[in-house]
Amino acid sequence: MSDSLPPSFPPPSLGPDSLSEVEAARGARRMLAVGGGRGGAGKSLVAQNLAVYFAQLGKSVILVDLDPTGANLHAQFGVTAHANPPGDDSTEELAKALVPTFVPGLSILPGPHDAIEPPLQLRAGRKSRWLSKLKALPCDYLVIDVGPGHAHLALDVMLAADIGICVTVPEPPAIEATYRFLRAAYRRKLRRSLVKDRFRLSLVDRAMKEIGRLPSPLELIRLIAKTDRTLAELAWAEATRMHLYLTVNQTRVRTDLELAGAMCGLAKRHYGIQLDELGW
């Protein structure tokens, strides 16, 4: 049987309206996450402007405020934040929590304020299910402001996105935080790939303890290779599968414009991770 699609695809019975219904049923067509490191670098600025840009192109866009420490995207659009998170983690409840903005085609899912209980996405064992329900929301673009830091939720969302964008500024603490985020993201990705192989997972954890700090991927892989060559090859494969993007905010002089290219080159040489310059 041939794997190629028939000449008339989609079938003639699917008209424009039917195709729209099919696309809506598939959920978000593209998921973009903006995060990566230090607070105050401009992640919210990048996320909300991307969302507005796609909406102005005529796309349906949902902007999600996932900053657990200071959710404030609602203030940028003059809407009211939720006092509490949605009642459960169903797609229907998330859809009811969406708030339209003054930008046609753009809705936001504000972060909850004054909630007694932590949001579902922060509770143990609920993050993956919540994220799958979020991705099921019908829209062309789902843009998520992940917030600062490298907590598990931030890492999982950035790794699950179609496009994960790290935002930094030309300051040493912010640059250092970006590299730390890359190391933490790799550690999270590798451990999740070994969740069903407890023996090899224990070898990875033992190697990390031997290093004594959050290691770079290549440093960890070289140490693992001394005891388990196959595991080292798997760890290298996970590093090569990582693909994130970098944008530099608050650029002022020529050296600032060259920062992203330099950081991307260093990540490739010393980490083995593909980090692509997105812009400044």
Side-chain angles (χ1 to χ4, degrees):
M1 178 182 292
S2 173
D3 291 333
S4 61
L5 296 173
S8 59
F9 187 86
S13 59
L14 289 181
D17 294 338
S18 299
L19 286 175
S20 298
E21 294 174 1
V22 171
E23 291 294 342
R26 291 174 180 169
R29 298 173 61 186
R30 290 289 185 276
M31 174 177 161
L32 291 80
V34 183
R38 186 188 180 195
K43 289 177 284 293
S44 297
L45 177 72
V46 172
Q48 68 191 38
N49 277 280
L50 280 173
V52 170
Y53 172 74
F54 289 130
Q56 289 178 335
L57 292 179
K59 307 297 183 181
S60 59
V61 185
I62 295 175
L63 176 60
V64 181
D65 195 342
L66 202 59
D67 187 346
T69 60
N72 60 7
L73 284 180
H74 63 281
Q76 309 301 322
F77 293 92
V79 301
T80 303
H82 296 305
N84 290 285
D88 58 39
D89 57 352
S90 68
T91 301
E92 292 75 15
E93 286 296 322
L94 289 175
K96 291 178 183 178
L98 295 177
V99 180
T101 70
F102 57 82
V103 181
L106 173 59
S107 299
I108 69 170
L109 183 64
H113 284 233
D114 302 326
I116 298 175
E117 297 292 336
L120 288 167
Q121 64 268 26
L122 297 181
R123 301 178 195 175
R126 303 298 292 273
K127 292 191 293 289
S128 297
R129 184 180 177 187
W130 178 85
L131 185 57
S132 65
K133 299 300 181 184
L134 186 68
K135 293 176 71 175
L137 291 171
C139 61
D140 293 316
Y141 288 92
L142 183 67
V143 182
I144 303 178
D145 178 9
V146 175
H150 54 270
H152 286 174
L153 177 62
L155 297 174
D156 289 344
V157 172
M158 287 285 281
L159 291 172
D162 298 306
I163 298 178
I165 304 172
C166 298
V167 180
T168 191
V169 294
E171 298 174 359
I175 296 170
E176 181 183 14
T178 302
Y179 288 135
R180 188 182 304 113
F181 182 89
L182 294 179
R183 297 196 300 270
Y186 172 73
R187 175 181 181 272
R188 180 68 171 169
K189 183 175 178 61
L190 178 60
R191 294 191 84 258
R192 286 178 68 89
S193 71
L194 297 171
V195 69
K196 295 182 179 179
D197 191 337
R198 293 188 177 275
F199 174 71
R200 285 181 167 168
L201 181 58
S202 67
L203 292 180
V204 170
D205 290 340
R206 189 184 310 165
M208 289 186 181
K209 288 182 180 179
E210 183 176 339
I211 294 172
R213 51 183 168 76
L214 191 61
S216 72
L218 293 182
E219 183 181 13
L220 179 62
I221 292 167
R222 292 190 184 106
L223 183 57
I224 293 173
K226 295 179 180 179
T227 56
D228 191 326
R229 188 75 181 181
T230 303
L231 177 57
E233 291 174 355
L234 186 150
W236 170 246
E238 290 299 323
T240 58
R241 291 191 188 104
M242 279 190 63
H243 187 189
L244 296 171
Y245 293 84
L246 177 67
T247 185
V248 180
N249 192 24
Q250 300 179 21
T251 55
R252 297 178 178 86
V253 296
R254 179 178 292 277
T255 53
D256 294 346
L257 307 184
E258 299 170 350
L259 175 62
M263 291 181 66
C264 292
L266 187 146
K268 187 67 175 178
R269 290 192 304 274
H270 298 284
Y271 286 7
I273 294 175
Q274 184 173 354
L275 183 67
D276 286 343
E277 181 179 1
L278 189 61
W280 43 266

